[in-house]
Amino acid sequence: MKFKNVSLLAGVVLSSLVSCKEVKKVQETKSAVLQKVHKKPNIVLLFADDLGWVDVSTGNTNGGRGSKRYETPVIDQLASEGMSFTHAYTNQNCAPSRASLISGQYPTGSDNQVYNVGSLNRQDKRTKGFPNLPIKPFQQKKVIAEDGINIFDAFKTQGYKTAFIGKSHGTPHPLVGDFGIDLPADIHHIIAAPVNGTRTKSYYLALQSDRKGWTFKSKYVDKYATPYDENYINTILKPYASKSELSLLNGTPKHLTDAIGDFSVDYIKENANTNQPFFLYVPFHAVHSKVVGRKDLTEKYKKRGLNKRLAEYASMIELLDQNIGKINQAIKDPNGDGDFSDDISNNTIFIVYSDNGGLKNNKPLTGKKGTLTEGGIRVPLIFRYPNVIKKNSITNQAVHCIDFLPTLADLAGVNIAALTKQNGTKPKYDGVSFSKVLTGAQNRISRENLFWHLPGYMDERFSPSTLIQKRIGDDYFKLFYFYETDTFKMYHINKDLSEKTNLLENPSNQHMDIALKMNADMVAWLKANKAPTGTWVKNGDIVPYPSSNAVKKYKK
């Protein structure tokens, strides 16, 4: 138990229960009864892996720049049913994004400390100055603290049943420990097993093990590992078929993305009609490399002229979309009988999000996964909550992984200010609730600044640096600071989405005033969060923060 006061673990609100006589008296439908039983909304958070800002075919999430190459009809429909964010941000790659989403903290947070996948000491021959780099990186943690009060813990205080189905990054793998998760279904996309006497490794596709038969090497999804057959194709896949030859799948190994989708569907079936609300978090592996699509979809895109690599990528995106569709359908018809009287969608917050920028071409954005340019950190985000969130609505409010915990807590009635850790201290969250933006009560949250801080290296994609993004009215500016060279760069994102024009090369008085304010805010944040910077290799001294007015050196 992580909580000092166990009374916080009050279960389901009994006053919300409806007796059979009352149901008969007012002749409510089954769906309406469920609304009364579930006073608190269910939450389904689907977290894609490496799905880029322009990788979806809807234009709602990217300012009308929906993909003409990739097809995501389910995501497109969800966008028409809820609110799309054109300025949704993450950290630069998967582990820190997932750690921030679950902990509610920037990597600098005491219960987080996850800045990068693996470590910050990932320089290689593509890194400028390799192997004589000037800064020794900060030694980060690989997973969030077990004794923090994370998003799962917060919901359990209100009687929620919690489930984690998919990729564990920023949290332990295997997913053991007290993280507030009732179903810790950590599943890996690399499958290894002896096949015909030889140890074999597969990405995403089930293997026929000499010992266990068809397997994903997971006790959670092995029951879904049997090859595709006509029954599965006709009952599960046909509703989402999109000009692909499904017959090509008959007898072929099952794809892990389908297995994760199927397991999530079964979880919803089991929990939809109970008195307990649920929080279902599904961090997919798709479309992460090594990219392996599903055969029918890969062939579909190859016939359209895409090379094999792009066809596999397109296949993975559509496969992800289909499984989002399966999960969405399970919310609308939990028992799968075609009768929608058990529909729980009106009492379910349904979210589609991605952990970082895309692997491929993110134009007009510059950069990709692993960078702090827009292509690495700007992603699709959709929220649907019928009768609460306006249909087909779009906002350019900037939001970040850290904001999900306070936002969802607001929508579910979780008072995070009342949470107390086992040691008696209060958890500190960096995020800000944007629930009033979702409900239409406000157009903006009061926060002006977002921050990214990387005290180390990752090949050519980043070196020790800090980034502040500032909103001024409806305009967004970015100021980068690079520790190795004591230099800044500044961009006006509204007018320069591709980040090609560094405003500090010839700053106007107005831009210099903005830069000075951003510089001061950046340094204040670094100091307040005691952000680590690493040490100089030459003498072991701590790398200093910039001065609070360092950008004035660019003034002409």
Side-chain angles (χ1 to χ4, degrees):
M1 303 293 289
K2 300 182 185 180
F3 302 95
K4 183 180 179 184
N5 186 352
V6 295
S7 66
L8 288 172
L9 295 175
V12 189
V13 182
L14 296 176
S15 61
S16 67
L17 295 176
V18 181
S19 71
C20 293
K21 289 183 178 179
E22 288 173 327
V23 173
K24 291 179 181 178
K25 182 178 179 180
V26 299
Q27 296 182 329
E28 292 174 307
T29 64
K30 185 178 180 183
S31 180
V33 174
L34 290 174
Q35 289 289 319
K36 288 185 176 293
V37 172
H38 287 301
K39 288 289 187 181
K40 295 186 179 298
N42 304 302
I43 300 167
V44 177
L45 173 50
L46 309 182
F47 207 21
D49 197 332
D50 300 350
L51 184 70
W53 193 57
V54 291
D55 283 347
V56 293
S57 46
T58 179
N60 283 24
T61 56
N62 48 44
R65 300 175 180 88
S67 177
K68 301 297 188 291
R69 172 182 289 169
Y70 312 129
E71 295 182 3
T72 56
V74 174
I75 292 174
D76 299 358
Q77 180 63 32
L78 288 168
S80 73
E81 296 172 353
M83 178 174 284
S84 299
F85 288 74
T86 58
H87 291 66
Y89 289 94
T90 62
N91 293 322
Q92 80 287 347
N93 55 19
C94 53
S97 292
R98 294 155 197 267
S100 285
L101 185 145
I102 293 171
S103 69
Q105 297 180 342
Y106 284 120
T108 51
S110 60
D111 295 326
N112 188 341
Q113 299 288 298
V114 181
Y115 290 84
N116 194 31
V117 175
S119 80
L120 286 160
N121 195 28
R122 291 181 60 182
Q123 64 268 33
D124 64 16
K125 293 180 180 179
R126 293 172 291 173
T127 307
K128 187 177 181 180
F130 174 88
N132 300 311
L133 296 170
I135 294 175
K136 181 180 179 181
F138 171 70
Q139 189 170 345
Q140 66 158 36
K141 294 181 179 178
K142 292 186 178 181
V143 300
I144 62 174
E146 189 174 342
D147 59 356
I149 306 297
N150 66 49
I151 196 167
F152 298 103
D153 296 318
F155 282 108
K156 285 190 72 65
T157 67
Q158 295 299 305
Y160 273 78
K161 189 172 184 180
T162 58
F164 181 125
I165 300 175
K167 179 178 180 177
S168 180
H169 233 173
T171 44
H173 172 70
L175 186 49
V176 294
D178 185 8
F179 290 93
I181 305 169
D182 296 317
L183 175 63
D186 165 27
I187 303 159
H188 206 280
H189 74 298
I190 302 175
I191 303 113
V195 178
N196 296 325
T198 302
R199 183 165 177 79
T200 304
K201 183 168 69 173
S202 170
Y203 291 85
Y204 295 101
L205 300 179
L207 289 174
Q208 189 172 20
S209 167
D210 293 341
R211 298 171 186 166
K212 296 184 177 180
W214 287 101
T215 182
F216 287 113
K217 292 290 287 185
S218 166
K219 64 181 180 180
Y220 298 106
V221 292
D222 268 2
K223 63 181 178 180
Y224 305 100
T226 53
Y228 295 102
D229 58 26
E230 287 188 10
N231 181 60
Y232 185 90
I233 291 168
N234 289 331
T235 59
I236 306 299
L237 299 185
K238 264 194 175 178
Y240 306 99
S242 178
K243 299 180 181 178
S244 69
E245 293 293 334
L246 288 172
S247 61
L248 294 174
L249 292 176
N250 201 4
T252 64
K254 186 74 62 66
H255 199 287
L256 180 62
T257 307
D258 273 325
I260 289 174
D262 294 340
F263 187 24
S264 301
V265 166
D266 284 347
Y267 179 86
I268 292 167
K269 287 180 179 179
E270 292 168 7
N271 292 280
N273 297 325
T274 67
N275 294 341
Q276 189 174 12
F278 62 84
F279 173 43
L280 171 60
Y281 170 59
V282 185
F284 283 99
H285 296 272
V287 294
H288 189 277
S289 61
K290 186 177 180 180
V291 177
V292 177
R294 200 176 68 196
K295 187 175 182 179
D296 63 312
L297 296 171
T298 302
E299 290 301 315
K300 164 186 167 178
Y301 286 101
K302 284 170 70 175
K303 288 180 179 179
R304 293 185 177 180
L306 298 188
N307 62 41
K308 186 177 186 303
R309 191 174 181 183
L310 274 179
E312 295 277 12
Y313 189 68
S315 172
M316 281 284 269
I317 290 173
E318 188 168 346
L319 176 57
L320 169 69
D321 186 75
Q322 289 187 6
N323 279 279
I324 292 172
K326 288 182 195 174
I327 296 169
N328 182 44
Q329 183 64 20
I331 293 295
K332 293 178 178 294
D333 183 16
N335 64 12
D337 65 354
D339 178 352
F340 295 96
S341 63
D342 55 347
D343 184 350
I344 60 170
S345 58
N346 282 343
N347 195 45
T348 301
I349 302 168
F350 197 91
I351 308 158
V352 177
Y353 190 33
S354 180
D355 65 348
N356 49 247
L359 287 167
K360 305 295 183 185
N361 185 352
N362 294 305
K363 290 180 180 179
L365 307 183
T366 295
K368 61 180 180 179
K369 170 186 178 178
T371 67
L372 292 184
T373 48
E374 294 291 282
I377 58 175
R378 195 163 171 177
V379 298
L381 172 62
I382 299 166
F383 268 72
R384 185 189 68 192
Y385 190 6
N387 303 315
V388 177
I389 297 173
K390 185 180 178 181
K391 291 182 178 181
N392 205 32
S393 54
I394 299 173
T395 177
N396 67 351
Q397 170 64 55
V399 297
H400 187 280
C401 311
I402 57 172
D403 300 326
F404 277 66
L405 192 156
T407 299
L408 293 174
D410 261 3
L411 293 171
V414 179
N415 181 11
I416 59 176
L419 300 178
T420 306
K421 297 167 70 171
Q422 191 176 24
N423 63 8
T425 63
K426 294 286 187 180
K428 178 182 179 295
Y429 300 117
D430 294 318
V432 174
S433 173
F434 56 89
S435 62
K436 290 184 178 180
V437 174
L438 290 168
T439 61
Q442 294 178 351
N443 290 326
R444 290 272 178 236
I445 57 177
S446 60
R447 179 184 63 201
E448 294 180 354
N449 298 328
L450 284 172
F451 299 92
W452 291 260
H453 179 66
L454 295 169
Y457 300 90
M458 182 177 173
D459 51 64
E460 84 285 7
R461 285 176 282 183
F462 69 75
S463 60
S465 51
T466 301
L467 165 64
I468 176 175
Q469 181 201 75
K470 178 177 282 292
R471 178 181 58 80
I472 301 175
D474 284 335
D475 286 80
Y476 291 96
F477 292 85
K478 290 172 72 174
L479 182 71
F480 292 84
Y481 177 69
F482 303 97
Y483 289 84
E484 291 181 329
T485 56
D486 187 27
T487 56
F488 291 87
K489 290 183 178 180
M490 179 181 175
Y491 301 94
H492 185 180
I493 299 304
N494 299 61
K495 296 182 178 180
D496 182 21
L497 190 58
S498 301
E499 296 168 276
K500 292 181 178 179
T501 303
N502 176 11
L503 297 176
L504 295 178
E505 290 182 353
N506 187 28
S508 66
N509 289 336
Q510 180 188 23
H511 288 151
M512 181 51 63
D513 288 343
I514 294 171
L516 284 165
K517 175 59 176 169
M518 294 177 77
N519 184 174
D521 287 355
M522 175 191 286
V523 174
W525 179 84
L526 289 167
K527 290 178 178 179
N529 289 275
K530 299 179 181 178
T533 54
T535 56
W536 293 113
V537 171
K538 62 183 179 182
N539 56 19
D541 290 349
I542 294 174
V543 177
Y545 301 145
S547 64
S548 59
N549 62 353
V551 294
K552 70 180 181 181
K553 65 185 177 183
Y554 295 98
K555 190 171 184 178
K556 301 297 183 182

